[in-house]
Amino acid sequence: MTTPLNERRIANAIRVLAMDAVQQANSGHPGAPMGMADIADVVWREFFNHNPSNPNWPNRDRFILSNGHGSMLQYALLHLTGYALTLDDLKQFRQLHSKTPGHPELGYAPGVETTTGPLGQGLANAVGFALAERTLAAQFNKPGLDVVDHYTYTFLGDGCLMEGVSHEASSLAGTLGLGKLIAYYDDNGISIDGEVEGWFSDDTEQRFLSYGWQVIRVDGHDHDAIRQATVAAKQESNKPTLIICKTIIGLGSPNKQGKESSHGSPLGTDEITLTRTSLGWDTEAFVIPDDIYAAWDAKDQGQALESAWNELFAKYESQYPVEAKELLRRLHGDLPEEFVQHADAFIAETAAKGETVASRKASQNTLQSFGPILPEFLGGSADLAGSNLTLWKGCQGVQDNPAGNYVYYGVREFGMTAIANGLALHGGFVPYVATFLMFMEYARNAVRMSALMKQRLIHVYTHDSIGLGEDGPTHQPIEQIASLRNTINLNTWRPADTVETAVAWKSSLLRKDGPSALILSRQNLPFQSRSNEQIAQIEKGAYVLAAEQGELKAIIIATGSEVDLAVQAHAQLEGVRVVSMPCAEVFMTQDAAYREAVLPSHIRARVAVEAAHADYWWKFVGLDGVVIGMTSYGESAPAKDLFNHFGITVDAVVDAVKKVTT
């Protein structure tokens, strides 16, 4: 051990703030911050380029705390280095409306780059950040003018490595050779249940070497060793680096260090007193000496770093004004000025063509139209691009061309989605990811995280119902659409034809405050004729597609492939209107007058039809209505036979309307 006493004392500031805040909250995880304090000291004071006065400086390094339960580590770092996070904020750790929630949450404390709750996803986000940096750099940097040039640092623990998403993301990171990704593994051998050797005996070094990473082992309390490892990591430009840091959880606590008792609960007042003595720390709770603050303060250095970058960018801007303007536009998240006009022209052209194709094909046609004017697109698929049709003619894979716009994610649905969250969070890109709707289940938690963080990310899910046919019940989604619709802040679109598909893409791209899911068919969907007014109303989430003849007596609500069933039934009935509802979430945000115009409240005779879980629709049809949908899993058979077998037919819709109107 070669760490000078003064370095250890500087790192101890993290330890005391972590144990004090957790104790005051009577809740939290002091062990990880205390164990990783020495690593954090070296990384943040010597390598991490950031500006506390401007947390959104575009060329800052990114820091991701994947073992987010140790959030007081990050909050202590932000406070000590000079971010707008006060001691009072630390004293409010885990309290209502505080800036310091139990896990790092995007939008609460300045300097927090992502929400890291479920273990492993922070590491996957970090892969996305690193991929975004490399791709953006390849697209914009010029000789001698590297305006995009920063690292992604991530801390992670045993739990992150036990979660399968870490395998998916790390495997792809190694394959892509993301050399500016540096991960520090807190190898303390402890989880909440105790010593992990009884349930986690992986050879982590060999595992990451097999992924194509550089792996370095160090004593996680030896500042010189951590420093040298980080230098070596930055020198390796073709591989991500994992630095395995052997640490003692809760270091400094005489009776709890190295034990699970320091992991997920406060140390206790008596133990904190002993720990202060052990650390040689003689101040009361939440008091940091001035010389320690001075050692940590990064404001002047951060401002100097940003000023130097501003000078570099000014040179870039003078020599490459078009590229500079484009880079700033993309970092701000603004779409090209001509996008809306272009999208509307394509929608009108699509309506004029009147093609009957699968909505997955309609989606590809839309991508082919929108892609050339959206260089911020960074698409990808979990090995099914030939089936979900997410490739368009301008796609170039990032594995062959670092400046490309498409990621071949392989069979990694969870990793893909969590990585894409990192892409969106980094800025400069609008990512879309794709797989079969049934396999959304593998990615489910990362979908929730994109909604929780309000990121513009488009989830493309094809083969949307029993209509996929012969692959059978394991591949036929039933409850998945309802699950997505019940996800707060996620807009779920299930378009009925080419026009609705194009509008769904336009709406999803214009949305800046959350993700969207596009639910697309394998089978062809008949084109539906509409007026210009009806086309404009698609963006409202629901509209009257087929008006009633005479007095309105009943309403049929349908989505996707079942809209045509409703239209065919409409032709056999009087006094019935068909409402196409491609996006219920968007419809429910419309004003009351519009909702009433589409679904008059006095018309209680309602039928909903969708080849998915029936229960979702009761809130729209009421107890007096009828829902035609799925109440069981599917079967293996041709699609036409399945729709007949499960009673999702025109005759069934007609009979249901007659039932609710008698």
Side-chain angles (χ1 to χ4, degrees), residues 3 20 42 54 57 68 115 139 141-142 203 241 251 256 316 336 350 403 424 452 477 480 484 620:
T3 302
D20 288 344
V42 173
N54 182 11
W57 167 40
T115 296
Q139 291 177 354
N141 286 351
K142 303 295 181 181
D203 188 330
T241 297
L251 183 70
K256 295 189 176 183
Y316 182 88
T350 300
L452 180 64
Q480 284 66 39
L484 290 168
F620 286 105

Side-chain angles (χ1 to χ4, degrees), residues 158-236:
D158 291 303
C160 297
L161 294 181
M162 283 187 257
E163 291 288 357
V165 68
S166 72
H167 167 86
E168 296 181 28
S170 299
S171 173
L172 185 61
T175 299
L176 295 177
L178 299 178
K180 288 189 175 179
L181 173 61
I182 304 175
Y184 298 79
Y185 165 33
D186 180 27
D187 182 16
N188 61 43
I190 296 292
S191 68
I192 289 177
D193 280 350
E195 297 181 4
V196 301
E197 61 184 12
W199 49 87
F200 183 51
S201 58
D202 301 18
D203 188 330
T204 299
E205 179 177 359
Q206 289 300 317
R207 172 182 167 185
F208 276 78
L209 286 172
S210 74
Y211 293 153
W213 287 54
Q214 174 180 229
V215 180
I216 304 170
R217 286 186 177 272
V218 299
D219 178 342
H221 303 299
D222 185 332
H223 288 221
D224 284 342
I226 299 163
R227 184 177 298 114
Q228 292 168 14
T230 305
V231 170
K234 297 187 73 171
Q235 290 173 341
E236 173 54 77

Side-chain angles (χ1 to χ4, degrees), residues 214-535:
Q214 174 180 229
V215 180
I216 304 170
R217 286 186 177 272
V218 299
D219 178 342
H221 303 299
D222 185 332
H223 288 221
D224 284 342
I226 299 163
R227 184 177 298 114
Q228 292 168 14
T230 305
V231 170
K234 297 187 73 171
Q235 290 173 341
E236 173 54 77
S237 60
N238 296 316
K239 296 179 180 181
T241 297
L242 177 71
I243 302 175
I244 300 176
C245 304
K246 192 61 181 176
T247 62
I248 300 172
I249 192 171
L251 183 70
S253 170
N255 297 306
K256 295 189 176 183
Q257 70 176 24
K259 300 177 181 178
E260 63 269 24
S261 56
S262 71
H263 187 296
S265 59
L267 296 181
T269 55
D270 291 343
E271 187 66 17
I272 285 178
T273 298
L274 294 173
T275 302
R276 275 187 151 72
T277 301
S278 171
L279 296 175
W281 198 271
D282 57 4
T283 70
E284 60 188 49
F286 294 104
V287 174
I288 304 297
D290 290 342
D291 63 329
I292 299 295
Y293 272 126
W296 276 105
D297 190 358
K299 293 192 293 295
D300 289 345
Q301 181 185 17
Q303 189 58 55
L305 288 167
E306 183 173 356
S307 295
W309 181 82
N310 287 338
E311 291 179 9
L312 179 69
F313 190 79
K315 293 179 182 178
Y316 182 88
E317 194 170 28
S318 66
Q319 296 182 43
Y320 303 97
V322 174
E323 289 86 347
K325 182 179 179 181
E326 179 72 356
L327 176 58
L328 291 177
R329 176 189 72 78
R330 286 174 54 176
L331 290 174
H332 290 155
D334 300 325
L335 296 182
E337 292 181 1
E338 68 272 22
F339 172 72
V340 171
Q341 182 178 359
H342 179 94
D344 288 344
F346 174 74
I347 291 166
E349 178 186 340
T350 300
K353 285 183 177 179
E355 293 179 306
T356 291
V357 298
S359 53
R360 62 173 174 161
K361 180 59 179 177
S363 171
Q364 186 181 47
N365 293 341
T366 305
L367 285 169
Q368 187 59 57
S369 174
F370 291 1
I373 69 165
L374 293 175
E376 53 263 64
F377 258 162
L378 189 51
S381 175
D383 197 53
L384 295 167
S387 293
N388 54 45
L389 303 184
T390 46
L391 282 168
W392 52 281
K393 292 179 182 178
C395 285
Q396 296 183 40
V398 297
Q399 78 279 10
D400 297 321
N401 178 6
N405 59 358
Y406 196 85
V407 184
Y408 291 88
Y409 284 101
V411 187
R412 300 181 177 100
E413 293 86 1
F414 193 0
M416 170 184 72
T417 309
I419 289 169
N421 284 338
L423 293 171
L425 287 159
H426 179 279
F429 295 101
V430 177
Y432 65 87
V433 293
T435 186
F436 288 0
L437 177 56
M438 188 66 245
F439 304 150
M440 176 278 298
E441 293 290 355
Y442 286 133
R444 184 71 186 84
N445 198 269
V447 176
R448 182 178 187 268
M449 297 302 286
S450 65
L452 180 64
M453 293 189 285
K454 301 180 180 179
Q455 292 303 296
R456 178 162 57 188
L457 172 61
I458 301 169
H459 305 277
V460 179
Y461 298 126
T462 66
H463 296 62
D464 67 341
S465 71
I466 56 172
L468 71 86
E470 292 84 349
D471 274 340
T474 61
H475 283 53
Q476 293 168 6
I478 303 298
E479 70 276 23
Q480 284 66 39
I481 300 177
S483 175
L484 290 168
R485 288 185 178 131
N486 286 326
T487 301
I488 297 168
N489 200 45
L490 175 69
N491 287 348
T492 300
W493 292 84
R494 188 171 184 246
D497 67 356
T498 55
V499 174
E500 286 193 5
T501 302
V503 172
W505 267 106
K506 175 192 172 186
S507 178
S508 301
L509 286 163
L510 289 174
R511 187 181 187 212
K512 297 178 72 173
D513 62 350
S516 302
L518 306 186
I519 313 301
L520 307 173
S521 72
R522 177 197 184 195
Q523 72 273 30
N524 289 343
L525 303 183
F527 173 77
Q528 304 296 331
S529 297
R530 302 173 183 82
S531 67
N532 289 336
E533 180 182 6
Q534 287 173 311
I535 292 174

